[in-house]
Structure formats: structure tokens, C-alpha cells
Amino acid sequence: MSANADATAAWRQLRFTLTIEHDAAVARTTQHPLITIVEQHLDNAGALSITLQDAGDDPVFEPLPGEMPTWQQTLFSVLFPAELDFQQILDRLKPNLEPLGAQHWHIESLLEQEWVRAWMDQFHAMQFGERLWICPHHLTPPLEAQIVIRLDPGLAFGTGTHPTTALCLQWLDQTDVTNKTVLDFGCGSGILAVAAAMLGAQYVNAIDIDPQALTATNDNAAQNNVSARIHTYLPQQYAADQAPVDIVLANILSRTLIALSTELIAAVKPGGYLIMSGILENQSTEVIAAFKQDFGNIVIAQQEGWLRIVAQCRLK
């Protein structure tokens, strides 16, 4: 454990790992109860925020609806106000958490100015295709940028940096979506929904299982002046008899694409397009197999080992 007693810190970050034993025969479909217990102890100690990350090499890809898998080793990054007595916090937490498997404690002070600067320096304006740019609010977009989406990292994943998102943005940039109806299935930050609206879509329905993703989507739509054409839903709120759309964007992973194939097929009108991403190269065959009966004109694009599959719904 190390500590920095810099009195000018805006807050302090406590980091520790929690080792969780899983029954190998049981799928990790729900968050381990230890996580909830640990979060309660941290809240009681005055935590401002709690972030969970994979502490080992145990990737958990996008879960199916209702699933909340947990890593074998979870890294907790917890922010506390700097004015709190950190020795008292540790004296309170360690006897409660160490018996649960918490270990490798680390404390550091974070200066507000350094925190903000480090965050800002990570991001820059990015171009997708010929017209479309994504630019953080603190930067001035390039003069050649035709359509600029103002987007900062926020509550949900999706700033355009991942190849799966980039592939979808590139497709939108090269496609005439004027007056088209669009569904963004698994909208995350809403980046694809906002891009479609700014490129001229008549309206975009955006669905996600995470309420924070819908909050991020609505915020980003408002900041880009397209709120009137973007409507957000949890899956259970999206009517089963909703009219099929011209374009369905599904930037989710292969297992989820296959599991939700019936819903995705029903969401595309005859002659419309399904754009699927989040697919690794060795997964294309099984994904295509789940949709080929209803879709043709299949085109595959690749970037950094990830695929985008575009398919057109057969006329019925």
C-alpha cells in the first residue's frame, strides 16, 4: 500500500482487487453477491464513485439481456473526497473487505487539474469516411469537416475509437440515409443514432438494456441538436408491433446477434438493410447462417480483426 498526502488533491483514489471464486459448472449470468456487499461497504465509507474493471485476463464481452457477469478478479477504483481521513477509511474497510478476498491496496492523490488534462489529452477529432467527423467539445474541428458530431466520453461505451463503431460510421458516411427510418439496436452512447440523424435520417429509434446508455444517447442527441428525431427505449418499452425500418444498426457482439436474430429480422422492412458489427473474423459463418434465409446481398468489411456485415432483407 502506498499513500500520497498532498493536501492540494481534489480527491483520492483507492484501488484494490477482489478475487471471486466461481463454480465452473455455473454460467456467470448474475453479478456475484460479493460485489454488492463490497459496494455497500464503500458507499458507507463515503465513496463518490466506484468503477469495476477486469484485474486479470478474463474478458467478459457484451452480455445478453438480463445477464450481469463478473470477472474472476475484479479491480475496484474508488474515488473519495480528499478531505476525509484516509487512515480511518482504511481502518474501517480492510477488516470488512480482506476476509472477502480484497487485496493489493493502493492509494493515490489526484489533482483536479491533472485529472482533467489527462482526460482531455486522450481524445482528438476523428474522421470517418469523407464527410463525417467526431470532435470533443474542447477542440475546434478541422476546416474540411463537413458533418461534425460533438461527443465526449461519458456514461456509456462508444466514442468511435473502436473498430466496430468505426466500421458502422464509415457505412453511414457512404450511404444516403436521407429520410430513411433507422433503428440503433444496442445504442450505447448513441453515436450511431446521432450520426444517422445528422446525415438526414427521418427518425432514429435507439434501444439499449442499460438506462445509463439511454441517458447518454439523449444527452448526445441534445448536444448535437437532433433530439427531435431520436427516440430512446429499453427493450421492454419498444412495442412488438413497431413498424419495420429501412436500416437497422446492430453494433453488438456475435452471440447477441444470433440470440436476437428473430427480433432483428422482424425489425427490417423488405428491401431494407441490416448492418451488424462486433463480429470477429472467425465468427462470420455462424452469424451469416442465422440471417441468410431472410437476407441476401451480403457484404463483409474488415478492420483490425473485426467485421461489419451488411445484408439486405429479401422482398416478401
Side-chain angles (χ1 to χ4, degrees):
M1 179 184 72
S2 64
N4 182 343
D6 189 341
T8 63
W11 48 69
R12 283 184 181 156
Q13 179 176 243
L14 170 66
R15 294 166 68 86
F16 62 90
T17 58
L18 178 69
T19 300
I20 298 174
E21 297 298 329
H22 294 290
D23 185 341
V26 178
R28 293 176 297 154
T29 56
T30 59
Q31 183 167 293
H32 197 283
L34 279 184
I35 296 291
T36 301
I37 295 171
V38 170
E39 288 176 335
Q40 289 173 347
H41 283 300
L42 294 170
D43 284 336
N44 292 337
L48 294 174
S49 71
I50 304 169
T51 302
L52 276 58
Q53 298 171 277
D54 180 15
D57 185 17
D58 183 26
V60 175
F61 295 112
E62 184 166 326
L64 291 171
E67 293 187 351
M68 296 178 63
T70 304
W71 295 291
Q72 193 78 25
Q73 281 195 314
T74 298
L75 172 64
F76 282 76
S77 296
V78 192
L79 291 182
F80 289 91
E83 62 269 18
L84 294 182
D85 186 322
F86 232 71
Q87 190 58 53
Q88 288 186 8
I89 291 176
L90 286 175
D91 289 345
R92 180 178 181 179
L93 287 175
K94 293 182 75 172
N96 289 319
L97 299 187
E98 284 186 337
L100 301 178
Q103 54 186 319
H104 307 305
W105 300 78
H106 176 78
I107 305 167
E108 60 182 323
S109 295
L110 300 174
L111 301 179
E112 185 168 9
Q113 184 176 6
E114 293 174 353
W115 181 268
V116 173
R117 173 56 56 189
W119 172 82
M120 291 173 66
D121 288 347
Q122 293 182 53
F123 302 98
H124 58 276
M126 297 175 290
Q127 184 178 10
F128 300 90
E130 296 181 1
R131 302 171 293 165
L132 193 59
W133 286 75
I134 294 176
C135 186
H137 285 83
H138 67 279
L139 296 179
T140 301
L143 294 176
E144 65 270 25
Q146 297 181 40
I147 298 174
V148 178
I149 300 174
R150 289 293 192 172
L151 188 72
D152 295 327
L155 293 175
F157 169 80
T159 57
T161 57
H162 196 274
T164 62
T165 309
L167 285 163
C168 292
L169 289 169
Q170 291 161 9
W171 185 88
L172 285 170
D173 176 82
Q174 67 189 20
T175 304
D176 183 6
V177 300
T178 305
N179 294 325
K180 301 294 185 183
T181 56
V182 178
L183 172 62
D184 184 358
F185 202 104
C187 57
S189 66
I191 184 172
L192 300 182
V194 171
M198 294 187 70
L199 287 164
Q202 179 182 345
Y203 68 80
V204 184
N205 292 329
I207 300 176
D208 204 286
I209 62 174
D210 185 354
Q212 287 189 332
L214 302 187
T215 298
T217 296
N218 287 325
D219 288 346
N220 288 325
Q223 291 172 15
N224 288 280
N225 300 312
V226 290
S227 292
R229 284 181 285 139
I230 294 180
H231 312 284
T232 57
Y233 305 88
L234 292 169
Q236 61 268 29
Q237 296 171 332
Y238 195 70
D241 58 352
Q242 187 84 24
V245 297
D246 297 304
I247 298 168
V248 171
L249 302 162
N251 184 21
I252 49 184
L253 298 178
S254 62
R255 186 169 68 110
T256 311
L257 287 167
I258 294 169
L260 298 176
S261 58
T262 300
E263 291 89 338
L264 291 171
I265 291 168
V268 187
K269 66 171 55 174
Y273 289 89
L274 173 61
I275 294 80
M276 297 178 286
S277 194
I279 305 160
L280 294 170
E281 289 182 286
N282 62 357
Q283 298 169 338
S284 61
T285 301
E286 58 182 344
V287 172
I288 291 173
F291 294 91
K292 66 180 182 180
Q293 181 175 340
D294 297 273
F295 289 84
N297 298 328
I298 295 172
V299 178
I300 299 176
Q302 184 269 352
Q303 183 172 324
E304 298 179 26
W306 294 92
L307 302 182
R308 178 192 70 211
I309 300 177
V310 177
Q312 186 174 25
C313 186
R314 302 183 192 279
L315 298 175
K316 299 173 183 178

